[in-house]
Amino acid sequence: MAGGGFVDTGSAKRAHLYEHKITSYLICACLVAALGGSLFGYDLGVSGGVTSMDDFLKEFFPKVYRRKQAHLNETDYCKYDNQILTLFTSSLYFAGLISTFGASYVTRSKGRRISIICGAISFFSGAILNAAAVNIAMLIIGRILLGVGIGFGNQAVPLYLSEIAPAKNRGTFNQLFQLTTCLGIMIANIINYWTDKIHPWGWRLSLGLATVPALLMLIGGYFLPETPNSLVEQGKLEEGRKVLEKVRGTKNVDAEFADLVEASEAAKAIKHPFRNLLELRNRPQLVIGALGIPAFQQLTGMNSILFYAPVIFQSLGFGSGASLYSSLITSSILVLATFLSMAFVDKLGRRFFFMEAGIQMICSMLVVAIILALKFGHGVVLPKADGAILVVAVCVFVAGYGWSWGPMGWLVTSELFPLETRSAGQSVVVCVNLFFTAAIAQCFLASLCHLRYWIFILFAALIVTMTLFIFFLLPETKQVPIEEISLLWQDHWFWKRIVGGDSNSDEKPPAV
């Protein structure tokens, strides 16, 4: 069954014949694959903490260190406004952006598992180089290697989890990626809290410990089974069926395997999957999955908080230890929120979490902006009571993101694409995601310096836009088999007017 714009509805209604059990084999495979998220998460958490450490700043960014010590009116928002310092963070994401296209080829032709292993090797190498850095060039080269690792991991892991998981539990299993990302952030914040006390090399330990999740993923990757979808796509039908039987815990996989074979046959007819993404029948996947959701996930402003939580709290008058402690609280809330999302995403649905969290996040950003507008930026330390309210508002924001755009940004995008464009589509997802991640990382501190509290009002306005985007354009995908998602577009109030007239890709697009 092709997962594109048009399928044979006779074969597309076989989902009720699918059988599965939640086997230990399935759980172990998903847990090992999900370690890819810990690479992403650990870096998100560790980079912001390291860039706030005095020892690190003294060695590589002495001007920033001196400005940080000054407590002048004009530096309240601008203590860390240094483009080379932010390049230390954003260079990783620019590297990941470029590498994801190479990862797409590897993922499609060699399999999801090989991409995961390649990502682990590159990330491990980058962590070693960063820990041993003696100049900025070594730091940046190490970050580039880390970025290549994240480009491969983020390309392959969400696909792996969505393909190997049963349709009825796909949301829960796919969100293991977000869970390990959040755990990586939390562990990084804990490590930063303690290494900040180790002078003068504690920052090296923080950066070097990134080798641990990379090594775990590398070793585990050798024992991972390839996904049945990928094996069938490579023409290994017998092996694909055996793996499908093993992960489903039953021999009765005829219906699901038939769907995989039909989807694979359609995929083989596509010689240029990136070009195929531009066809009218794939317009919903392109607009929602490849462009909209990955861009909006970063434009929530969440990664700005994750990158720079210690920096933000220090800029707002918190001491070094207090700022790292506050960021540890926010990362812990992120983990708890992800567990909540995992428990209910396949019951309440994707749209519910998007809608509820949108309102929650908008209110939180407005509270932050109001407190900063009234109480901050006058060359004095933020009062403790206002600081506490600020931390609470940030935590409420983090919780909303943790059960919505964080996990859904990877879950929904990995669900939407048919097999013939799945690896290409995921490459665009990762590319767009990392482009906006890098742009936010590079621009946020300068924006905080120049826009001041207005930057949080801007994020609130963007969240209003993205919530309306989801409300009007995204159909509910919970418990829909991944190879049958395409049927949803034909029943959607808006998309059916676009895909409905494209049974032949050579036809002119209908007027809308």
Side-chain angles (χ1 to χ4, degrees):
M1 176 196 68
F6 290 86
V7 293
D8 173 63
T9 56
S11 64
K13 298 297 184 181
R14 289 193 283 235
H16 66 285
L17 300 175
Y18 290 10
E19 292 186 11
H20 76 274
K21 301 174 184 176
I22 304 300
T23 65
S24 58
Y25 185 77
L26 171 67
I27 294 172
C28 289
C30 288
L31 287 175
V32 171
L35 285 172
S38 66
L39 306 185
F40 192 30
Y42 187 85
D43 183 79
L44 282 173
V46 81
S47 57
V50 165
T51 52
S52 73
M53 292 182 184
D54 289 346
D55 293 324
F56 177 80
L57 294 175
K58 286 178 186 177
E59 184 159 350
F60 296 102
F61 304 97
K63 290 183 180 179
V64 177
Y65 173 74
R66 289 193 293 271
R67 187 192 303 164
K68 175 184 173 182
Q69 304 311 307
H71 200 71
L72 304 174
N73 180 55
E74 64 270 18
T75 63
D76 275 351
Y77 283 100
C78 304
K79 291 179 181 179
Y80 295 88
D81 181 17
N82 181 286
Q83 289 302 297
I84 302 299
L85 177 61
T86 50
L87 182 62
F88 167 74
T89 296
S90 61
S91 58
L92 178 147
Y93 302 101
F94 284 121
L97 183 158
I98 296 171
S99 68
T100 187
F101 292 104
S104 173
Y105 170 78
V106 175
T107 301
R108 190 182 191 201
S109 62
K110 307 299 181 182
R112 288 48 164 159
R113 174 177 166 270
I114 296 300
S115 279
I116 291 173
I117 292 173
C118 289
I121 293 172
S122 182
F123 197 90
F124 183 89
S125 303
I128 292 291
L129 194 58
N130 267 182
V134 295
N135 53 52
I136 292 177
M138 287 182 69
L139 281 178
I140 300 301
I141 293 172
R143 296 290 290 173
I144 290 172
L145 289 172
L146 293 173
V148 172
I150 285 178
F152 272 79
N154 286 14
Q155 215 280 342
V157 172
L159 290 186
Y160 186 96
L161 294 173
S162 284
E163 288 182 345
I164 206 167
K168 291 185 178 179
N169 307 102
R170 188 173 62 246
T172 298
F173 280 101
N174 183 277
Q175 288 192 52
L176 286 171
F177 179 76
Q178 178 67 10
L179 177 62
T180 56
T181 300
C182 296
L183 287 171
I185 294 169
M186 184 176 71
I187 291 170
N189 283 324
I190 294 172
I191 289 171
N192 283 340
Y193 181 77
W194 291 107
T195 57
D196 188 44
K197 306 175 188 296
I198 302 174
H199 304 289
W201 53 271
W203 62 270
R204 294 187 185 275
L205 184 59
S206 286
L207 295 177
L209 285 174
T211 57
V212 175
L215 188 61
L216 290 174
M217 194 171 83
L218 176 61
I219 295 172
Y222 282 104
F223 298 97
L224 275 180
E226 186 55 85
T227 68
N229 311 60
S230 180
L231 290 169
V232 170
E233 190 177 20
Q234 296 174 56
K236 302 175 181 178
L237 300 185
E238 185 176 347
E239 186 178 350
R241 184 181 177 97
K242 288 180 179 178
V243 172
L244 184 63
E245 291 175 353
K246 199 167 185 179
V247 296
R248 295 293 178 263
T250 177
K251 295 286 187 180
N252 190 12
V253 295
D254 292 344
E256 186 171 2
F257 187 71
D259 280 352
L260 293 183
V261 172
E262 289 182 24
S264 176
E265 290 172 352
K268 290 177 181 177
I270 304 299
K271 302 300 181 184
H272 305 286
F274 284 99
R275 188 186 303 169
N276 184 257
L277 271 176
L278 300 177
E279 291 186 3
L280 202 61
R281 62 175 179 164
N282 290 320
R283 193 60 46 81
Q285 296 95 314
L286 177 67
V287 172
I288 299 176
L291 301 176
I293 289 179
F296 283 142
Q297 186 188 46
Q298 303 311 314
L299 292 174
T300 58
M302 180 59 195
N303 273 2
S304 299
I305 293 174
L306 293 181
F307 289 147
Y308 301 119
V311 171
I312 290 171
F313 287 123
Q314 282 196 27
S315 294
L316 300 181
F318 290 76
S320 176
S323 67
L324 287 171
Y325 188 67
S326 298
S327 63
L328 175 59
I329 293 174
T330 59
S331 59
S332 300
I333 290 174
L334 192 60
V335 172
L336 294 175
T338 304
F339 274 116
L340 185 63
S341 183
M342 291 176 65
F344 293 103
V345 66
D346 287 317
K347 297 176 183 177
L348 299 178
R350 286 62 162 153
R351 284 171 53 86
F352 170 83
F353 281 103
F354 275 128
M355 296 296 104
E356 184 280 331
I359 297 171
Q360 182 174 329
M361 294 163 70
I362 291 165
C363 294
S364 299
M365 283 289 98
L366 292 177
V367 169
V368 171
I370 290 170
I371 290 179
L372 297 184
L374 297 177
K375 300 289 186 178
F376 188 67
H378 307 295
V380 296
V381 176
L382 196 70
K384 289 185 178 180
D386 295 316
I389 295 174
L390 192 66
V391 171
V392 170
V394 169
C395 289
V396 171
F397 175 87
V398 168
Y401 178 90
W403 58 57
S404 64
W405 283 95
M408 303 302 163
W410 296 107
L411 168 60
V412 175
T413 54
S414 69
E415 293 176 325
L416 296 184
F417 297 100
L419 184 61
E420 61 262 30
T421 60
R422 193 167 295 157
S423 61
Q426 187 67 12
S427 282
V428 179
V429 169
V430 176
C431 177
V432 171
N433 185 288
L434 292 179
F435 173 81
F436 280 93
T437 302
I440 293 292
Q442 189 66 30
C443 299
F444 176 74
L445 291 180
S447 300
L448 180 65
C449 178
H450 294 92
L451 295 178
R452 300 177 177 246
Y453 60 86
W454 284 100
I455 186 67
F456 298 100
I457 294 177
L458 174 61
F459 282 135
L462 288 169
I463 297 170
V464 170
T465 302
M466 61 188 72
T467 302
L468 293 174
F469 175 86
I470 293 296
F471 180 79
F472 287 112
L473 296 181
L474 179 68
E476 182 55 66
T477 58
K478 69 173 182 179
Q479 298 188 5
V480 179
I482 195 169
E483 302 302 340
E484 298 184 7
I485 296 289
S486 59
L487 297 176
L488 298 177
W489 311 122
Q490 298 176 34
D491 296 325
H492 189 270
W493 72 274
F494 176 76
W495 294 118
K496 67 181 179 182
R497 295 185 294 169
I498 296 177
V499 303
D502 193 41
S503 57
N504 186 330
S505 61
D506 294 328
E507 292 180 5
K508 294 181 179 180
V512 293

